[in-house]
Every structure is written in structure tokens, then in C-alpha cells.
Amino acid sequence: MTRQHTVIDGVDVYWEQGPAPMIATLTFGCGVRDESFRTLGVTHLIEHLAMSTLPRLHHEHNATVGIEVTRFFATGKPAQLVDFIAAVCEALSALPLSRIEKEAGVLTAEGSAVCHPTAGVLLARRYGIAGPGLAPWDGPGYDQLPAEAVTTHAAKFFTRGNAVLTLTGPPPEGLRLPLPDGPRMVHEPTPSLLTDGPQWLAEEVPCIGMSLRGPSVSPVDALGLQVLSHRLTEVARKEKGLSYGIDGDRANADPSTTDRFVWVDAREGQEAEVASILWNTARELATSGPTQEELDHELAGFREMVEDPRFVDGDLDEFARSVLLGEPYRSPAEWLEAIAAATPAHVAAALAESLRTALIVVPSEVRLELSDLDGKPVPLGGCATPEWQPQGRVFKPSLLARAMSAAARGARLHLTVDGVALIDGGDRHFVRFADVVGVLAQNGSRTVFGRSGCLVPVDSDLFAGIEPVIAAVDAHVDPGLVFPPSAFAS
């Protein structure tokens, strides 16, 4: 049966017949990328506030907040789904703001993330603290979100125009979607901070990972990642015994561009070896392409997946994304046709293109020596280069700090004409006042967060005589970006 469309209470409703029990998914075109550093977590808080109003239910139901969309979904009898959808919509129309403090505590205890932490770090390095790059950050804390930010965000994004309901069966009798009025949101592209060449990164991550940027809907790019993952399994796990788990995901920066991720764990002490296997396997595929046998295997697997009657719900989710976010959509039949037409040369060319701006990340203590497709060394990325020297007034750690710590003896805080900088051994961090996304104010100190992902601690316990630096930060930064420490901070 083909997909059907209707409009109920101003909300687009799409349905296609699937196996029982019925699944209903209310999707909003809103996720973490629609927040700012100062309001980070507000979408998740809204989701929790809405779900907290529901009575005790005997059927499966839940909600999730991702980078691009937020979903409320349930499985059960048609009448149960009617009640669930109506209750969620009514809660979003009149959020229980009195529960903000309690739900802030619940969310802190939950400690969930919108993506794998390794993928989050890769997004933050590519996009900075904006859009999808917000994924790995905690922000000021759920208890630092004012009620006004919650109501403003809900009124902007959780509306009938910015929602799509999908059903694995015809709309049940009595279905209502009493959401507030509001338009469908247009999401501005998030510019990449990485403009040339591949880079490798040493960061606080649990495993090795790689980000490959390419078209948002591309069967050829998806094929390349699948073949890469299977080759990694054969080499890193089965042949060498260095790894156990290999997985992947994606995140969109705009309707036409996505980052595809693959991450792989490593036996302790073998991280550099596994990272080299990941990079060199990708290079080999980009140079020689997969075998036809590998492509045939992927085609058979995808055909088996889409022929499963339960695939209807997943396809409806993808269609809802396309409607809300303006992403291209291909039906399962179109995907099958495109995968069947893909050749080893097509996959090699797509991988070669994405490797030119690829990011690979390893745990902070690991060092790599990699070569790009042209045989040139892949540089270490991150913050400012060791050669960069800020110009401005210099502040040193106190005599006591220098006497107690060798690390403190090499640290220098700089107040420049347009920002603050920290030189700490070989590390360089610089935040321009114009690029500040948040300032943590605590005990006469400031921690300044920059759009690029750099942060500069202006710490009165470490540096002597820094009152002029604090005064400059307070004078140049919007007071709305300044926040106290969270009561839940460890």
C-alpha cells in the first residue's frame, strides 16, 4: 500500500499500513542544533515536562531528542494512541513550568547524550559550539534554564506547523492534535570550521572515530561506509584481535550535507594501531574501491531489510525528516535501484572526495602518523597552532602556584584588544569577545567559552592580578550569556 496523507488540526499526517500493533510517531523539526550554548538542554527539558504529565500507561511509549528532530512515539491499540497523542499535544500547549526544578534533577541523573560521545567531539571540532557542534557539550546545566527560555523555545518549535504525525495504519477515529499555531521552521546551514585537508585530533574520547562529510542522502556514500565498517570488522577484530565493537551514525549540518561517522573501540595500548587500520582501510577503499562481491552483499542486506514489514515505521521516520527539514527523500525502491547501479568506481570516488575533509579522532594520549591520498602528512588539528602568539597584556600564575606546580610555571593568560587567550605549554587557546557563546562566573573567576570550541579559564586561584581581565570580559560580553555554576555540577 502506498503512503497516504491527510491534515488533522493543521498537522500533516502520513500513514502506511504496517504490521500490528500500530505505531504513532509525532515528530517536530527541532533538536539540539536549534539551541544555543546558553540554552543547551532546553529541548530535552521540554520533552521531559510534556512526558511528566502523562498518566500511567500500559502500552509502550517514549520520547527522544536528537540533533535535528524530537519524537514522541507509542505502540498499541488505536484508541490508546489517540489518547497518547492528544495528551502530549495538550502538555506541549501548556507546559507544567512548576516542574522545571524537579525535571532538571531528573535529566541530570539521566545523563543521556544525543549521539555517541566520539561522534559528538567530531561534530564540535568541525562546527564549533553551534548547530550540530553543540552535541557533546553540557552547557550551563538544566537548572540554569530560565522558564522564559523554555516557553520561548516551545512556542517557536513545538507547533502544528513544525510537526508531522506518522502512523503505521489509517488514522484512528477521534484522533486530535491540539498543538499551538506556528509555522514550519527554516533551519540555517551551520558553516564548517574545517575548510581544507583532513586532520587528526587527540581528544577526551572513549574510542577511535572518523567523520566523513558528504551529501545528506547518498546511497553511494552510505555504501562506502558500510563496506568500510565490514572491512574494519574483518581486520581489527577477526584478523588482529584488537577491537570488539564497530558502529556508526550520521548528523546533518543542513538539508544537503551530512557527517557520517564510524567509530571503533580498541584494546588498551592499541589505539594508535586501530586508528591506523581505520584510516588506511578508508584510503584503500578510496583508491581501489570495494569488490563487486562486497557491493552485492550490501545490496542483498538492504533488500532483506526493506522487505521486512516492520521497515514501514523506519521509512516513515525518514519521510517525516524530509518534510520537516527539507532533506531529499528516496523511497526504499529508489534506494535499491541506486545501490544496484553503484559500481566500485562510484564508491571509491565518493570516499576519495569525503576523505579530503575527513576528521579522525583518538584518545588524548595517542599520537598518529598518517598520510592523505596525495601522500602528504595528515596534520594534527585542534585549537591555535603552537607558533601562534597573542599580543597584549600578560598575566602569570601567582608565585605560590608556580612554586607548587610545574604546569603552572608554563601557563600564561593574555588580555588582547579583542579577546582573551591562554598559553599552557604547547596548547594555545584564544576566544574573541565577539565569538563568546557563554561565560561561567564563579568566585571571582570566569570561564570563557568561544564559538570555535576553545575555552579560556580566567582563574583568580591560578593567575595573579587578573581583575582587569575579568573587567574586560564583563564589559564586552552580553550579560545574557553569563551564568553561575549549576547546583548539580560535580
Side-chain angles (χ1 to χ4, degrees):
M1 181 177 291
T2 58
R3 186 184 308 110
Q4 306 291 311
H5 173 247
T6 188
V7 177
I8 298 176
D9 292 333
V11 178
D12 284 314
V13 179
Y14 297 91
W15 67 274
E16 188 171 348
Q17 189 62 55
M22 181 184 284
I23 302 172
T25 305
L26 181 61
T27 304
F28 292 90
C30 170
V32 168
R33 75 173 186 184
D34 299 297
E35 302 170 355
S36 68
F37 185 79
R38 184 61 186 88
T39 64
L40 198 51
V42 67
T43 310
H44 203 175
L45 179 56
I46 289 170
E47 176 258 300
H48 263 240
L49 289 173
M51 293 294 281
S52 73
T53 68
L54 299 183
R56 185 176 180 181
L57 302 175
H58 298 288
H59 60 91
E60 184 180 349
H61 64 284
N62 209 337
T64 61
V65 175
I67 294 175
E68 302 103 346
V69 297
T70 297
R71 292 186 174 105
F72 298 84
F73 51 92
T75 303
K77 299 175 182 178
Q80 292 174 318
L81 303 188
V82 166
D83 291 343
F84 173 80
I85 293 299
V88 168
C89 292
E90 288 166 355
L92 290 170
S93 301
L95 289 169
L97 300 180
S98 61
R99 284 199 56 82
I100 286 180
E101 183 178 354
K102 291 184 176 63
E103 292 303 326
V106 172
L107 283 161
T108 304
E110 180 183 356
S112 63
V114 295
C115 66
H116 190 278
T118 298
V121 167
L122 289 164
L123 285 169
R125 279 303 180 193
R126 190 180 296 280
Y127 300 105
I129 307 181
L134 287 162
W137 293 91
D138 293 327
Y142 291 105
D143 59 329
Q144 296 301 323
L145 291 169
E148 182 182 357
V150 174
T151 55
T152 299
H153 196 76
K156 182 177 182 180
F157 291 103
F158 289 88
T159 65
R160 63 186 64 189
N162 203 40
V164 165
L165 177 68
T166 57
L167 300 163
T168 58
E173 184 178 352
L175 181 63
R176 299 183 303 115
L177 292 120
L179 286 167
D181 284 324
R184 181 154 299 156
M185 298 307 301
V186 177
H187 302 267
E188 295 297 326
T190 305
S192 171
L193 299 181
L194 180 66
T195 57
D196 58 357
Q199 295 179 3
W200 69 272
L201 308 163
E203 303 278 354
E204 295 296 327
V205 291
C207 62
I208 296 98
M210 185 162 66
S211 166
L212 298 170
R213 199 166 191 244
S216 59
V217 178
S218 170
V220 174
D221 285 82
L223 266 177
L225 197 65
Q226 283 294 103
V227 174
L228 173 60
S229 297
H230 290 152
R231 285 198 180 184
L232 286 171
T233 301
E234 292 297 318
V235 177
R237 176 172 175 167
K238 295 182 179 180
E239 181 182 326
K240 296 184 178 292
L242 300 176
S243 176
Y244 173 74
I246 297 163
D247 209 342
D249 203 353
R250 69 170 188 180
N252 284 12
D254 57 61
S256 62
T257 310
T258 196
D259 281 82
R260 292 179 174 83
F261 308 102
V262 59
W263 56 83
V264 51
D265 57 20
R267 204 171 71 222
E268 187 174 356
Q270 300 299 314
E271 292 87 356
E273 174 67 14
V274 172
S276 295
I277 291 171
L278 169 58
W279 182 257
N280 292 330
T281 302
R283 275 192 59 191
E284 181 182 354
L285 277 171
T287 301
S288 303
T291 65
Q292 188 59 49
E293 182 181 3
E294 286 175 312
L295 295 186
D296 291 342
H297 177 81
E298 296 303 330
L299 175 61
F302 187 77
R303 179 178 287 113
E304 183 176 316
M305 179 176 69
V306 300
E307 288 176 351
D308 187 327
R310 294 168 296 181
F311 185 72
V312 168
D313 182 51
D315 181 50
L316 284 169
D317 282 345
E318 289 300 307
F319 183 76
R321 283 178 59 102
S322 74
V323 172
L324 290 166
L325 306 180
E327 298 173 0
Y329 170 78
R330 290 194 181 195
S331 69
E334 291 170 329
W335 270 88
L336 276 172
E337 182 180 359
I339 291 174
T343 67
H346 291 149
V347 176
L351 267 172
E353 180 63 26
S354 58
L355 278 179
R356 299 195 183 281
T357 55
L359 291 175
I360 185 167
V361 66
V362 293
S364 56
E365 70 279 1
V366 177
R367 292 296 176 264
L368 298 179
E369 292 184 7
L370 307 173
S371 298
D372 66 17
L373 291 174
D374 300 322
K376 299 176 182 178
V378 175
L380 172 64
C383 294
T385 62
E387 295 78 20
W388 174 82
Q389 292 290 337
Q391 301 297 317
R393 189 172 174 184
V394 181
F395 298 82
K396 298 179 181 180
S398 65
L399 289 173
L400 178 60
R402 281 181 277 170
M404 298 290 291
S405 168
R409 289 193 286 273
R412 297 291 184 270
L413 180 68
H414 296 251
L415 175 60
T416 74
V417 173
D418 59 347
V420 289
L422 175 70
I423 296 182
D424 187 7
D427 294 331
R428 304 286 194 272
H429 304 276
F430 178 49
V431 178
R432 289 184 172 84
F433 293 130
D435 296 330
V436 172
V437 296
V439 175
L440 170 63
Q442 181 179 21
N443 299 330
S445 297
R446 305 288 185 269
T447 302
V448 183
F449 297 83
R451 164 72 172 81
S452 67
C454 274
L455 62 90
V456 174
V458 183
D459 189 348
S460 59
D461 291 334
L462 177 60
F463 295 101
I466 60 170
E467 291 78 10
V469 188
I470 292 176
V473 170
D474 292 346
H476 287 89
V477 175
D478 180 350
L481 299 178
V482 181
F483 54 90
S486 168
F488 301 124
S490 56

